[in-house]
Amino acid sequence: MGAQIGIDLNHAAELLSGGKLVAIPTETVYGLAANGLDSTAVAGIFAAKNRPTFDPLILHVGSIEQAKTLCSQWPAAAEILANAFWPGPLTLVLPKAPQVPDLVTSDNPTVAIRMPNNPLSLSLIRSLPFPLAAPSANPFGYVSPTCAQHVADQLGDRIDYILDGGGCDIGIESTIVSVSNENQVTVLRLGGLDLEALSKVLGYPVKESLNMHSNPQAPGQLDQHYSPNSAMLHMGDFSIDAILKDLQTRGHDGLGFLWFSPQQAQNFIEQFDGQTQQALTDSPLKHYYLSNNHSDREAAMNLFGTLRQFDKDGCKRIYFSWAPDGGLGRAINDRLKRASSKVVH
Ligand code: TXA
Ligand code: MG
């Protein structure tokens, strides 16, 4: 029996007040929420996701006032960023207040806080006397969910309720920055808020500390993350002959291509002779496009749903191309890179 999906805010609030788990919609991805000040409830999140406790959680708040009760410092840069981008896809990492359980922060002296931009979840959080700890509502290491059904598919039997806010507008997790007492802003994870927008509001370029390697201090930065079950191969790492040979030896079953847009696919395919073009466009071969309009926002919104689709379609190997680098393209490429760093068998 799976968790019920619905829009009953009172029911969600009752469950959360009783220490239970509820999946909540946000503009980025769905979160798996529990009372963020209750260690026992928070332990339930780690168990349901199979998530190691060294990977800290984000606290979701309904106001700047509430955020201030969760951290011991609120530097001027935090005020500027919260005013400019909350509610929205930006997470602030700040020195933690004593009331935040160590399990939430994985014993780090800092806490991650954000105000999500979803009307249902904002109403829910504002009706509760505590913040909601919520990681993305997927089993650890798998692709994040961008609709209620994605959550039900994988965690339905482990949680109590799924609040249905429809599809996520942004579709990629929040941008995470740390803010020091000296107002230094450092990007820890690329995400739904592009860095140009951040720098513009601050008036100076932000520093970046993006680690592609396994680092227990910032586990969201683990190499292998956001992975579908299909192996993802970057097209640029292979010659066209190697790709054609792969098509020949494996047949078309379980093989596919992921493109940023039809335009990108066309530009790539057009450079080859007729026979090669034919081989690449043969009808049983699957082609997926992140955006029909060559738009970074649309591509971000579709990214995780498309990765899930590979698995539903039984794809074993996907050749993919990078998104153009501007706007959300960097965050999309970051997720593609992590999804593809899985060992290929
Ligand atoms: O958009 C989002 O951020 C979504 C929605 C549900 O809000 N949440 C999300 O949570 O992506 P999660 O747990 O999948 O990723 C959050 C990452 C952690 O993996 C960790 O790297 C980072 O946030 N994080 C949390 N607390 C931190 C801290 N104190 N210092 C540094 N990084 C932290
Ligand atoms: Mg996650």
Side-chain angles (χ1 to χ4, degrees):
M1 211 186 68
Q4 202 193 338
I5 300 180
I7 55 164
D8 187 342
L9 285 178
N10 290 333
H11 185 50
E14 268 168 31
L15 288 167
L16 289 163
S17 299
K20 299 279 205 279
L21 304 183
V22 173
I24 58 165
T26 85
E27 79 284 26
T28 58
V29 300
Y30 273 68
L32 179 54
N35 178 349
L37 300 182
D38 174 351
S39 292
T40 312
V42 170
I45 295 178
F46 285 97
K49 269 187 71 107
N50 232 338
R51 174 165 168 138
T53 51
F54 62 69
D55 195 357
L57 306 179
I58 297 173
L59 289 180
H60 295 70
V61 297
S63 69
I64 290 180
E65 275 54 52
Q66 187 181 22
K68 288 180 183 168
T69 67
L70 302 171
C71 51
S72 60
Q73 308 273 350
W74 184 258
E79 180 76 15
I80 292 170
L81 292 175
N83 276 318
F85 298 115
W86 282 3
L90 176 68
T91 295
L92 302 178
V93 171
L94 295 156
K96 88 184 229 352
Q99 68 157 333
V100 177
D102 289 330
L103 186 58
V104 169
T105 64
S106 302
D107 288 325
N108 278 294
T110 54
V111 59
I113 309 173
R114 93 174 184 100
M115 193 195 301
N117 190 14
N118 175 279
L120 273 184
S121 290
L122 268 184
S123 305
L124 176 65
I125 295 167
R126 287 173 181 162
S127 75
L128 293 167
F130 48 79
L132 293 180
S136 51
N138 51 281
F140 185 68
Y142 194 70
V143 179
S144 297
T146 51
C147 66
Q149 192 57 47
H150 290 166
V151 182
D153 287 347
Q154 290 188 302
L155 294 178
D157 55 349
R158 301 192 185 184
I159 61 181
D160 297 292
Y161 192 60
I162 301 172
L163 195 59
D164 189 354
C168 299
D169 291 339
I170 292 185
I172 204 162
E173 299 89 343
S174 60
T175 299
I176 303 180
V177 302
S178 69
V179 184
S180 75
N181 286 339
E182 297 73 39
N183 292 300
Q184 184 152 119
V185 176
T186 307
V187 182
L188 304 178
R189 178 177 76 182
L190 295 170
L193 181 69
D194 67 60
L195 302 193
E196 292 90 334
L198 262 178
S199 298
K200 201 167 159 201
V201 161
L202 289 168
Y204 51 87
V206 284
K207 279 182 50 168
E208 293 179 29
S209 174
L210 308 165
N211 194 348
M212 271 307 289
H213 301 289
S214 303
N215 173 6
Q217 290 309 306
Q221 313 302 322
L222 288 174
D223 278 0
Q224 182 191 324
H225 222 79
Y226 316 104
S227 305
N229 297 325
S230 2
M232 292 188 59
L233 309 166
H234 176 231
M235 289 193 73
D237 295 341
F238 300 86
S239 67
I240 189 67
D241 290 338
I243 293 172
L244 291 176
K245 192 156 174 240
D246 201 16
L247 292 185
Q248 263 167 17
T249 48
R250 289 171 186 268
H252 292 151
D253 227 21
L255 243 165
F257 291 89
L258 173 67
W259 305 98
F260 179 72
S261 64
Q263 187 184 325
Q264 183 193 52
Q266 194 181 348
N267 290 345
F268 179 84
I269 292 169
E270 267 177 9
Q271 60 181 316
F272 302 112
D273 61 53
Q275 204 183 345
T276 305
Q277 289 189 22
Q278 172 87 48
L280 291 173
T281 53
D282 236 8
S283 59
L285 206 52
K286 289 194 179 67
H287 288 267
Y288 300 86
Y289 307 100
L290 292 178
S291 166
N292 282 323
N293 306 316
H294 207 75
S295 138
D296 60 326
R297 301 210 157 262
E298 190 187 26
M301 195 175 78
N302 291 330
L303 177 67
F304 290 139
T306 307
L307 298 188
R308 279 171 188 262
Q309 196 59 44
F310 300 160
D311 290 343
K312 283 206 180 114
D313 291 349
C315 285
K316 297 283 179 290
R317 287 158 84 81
I318 293 285
Y319 287 98
F320 73 95
S321 291
W322 298 125
D325 219 24
L328 295 186
R330 276 193 72 193
I332 293 169
N333 287 341
D334 171 82
R335 302 305 189 267
L336 287 172
K337 196 165 186 171
R338 292 175 204 282
S340 64
S341 64
K342 194 152 108 169
V343 181
V344 176
H345 293 289

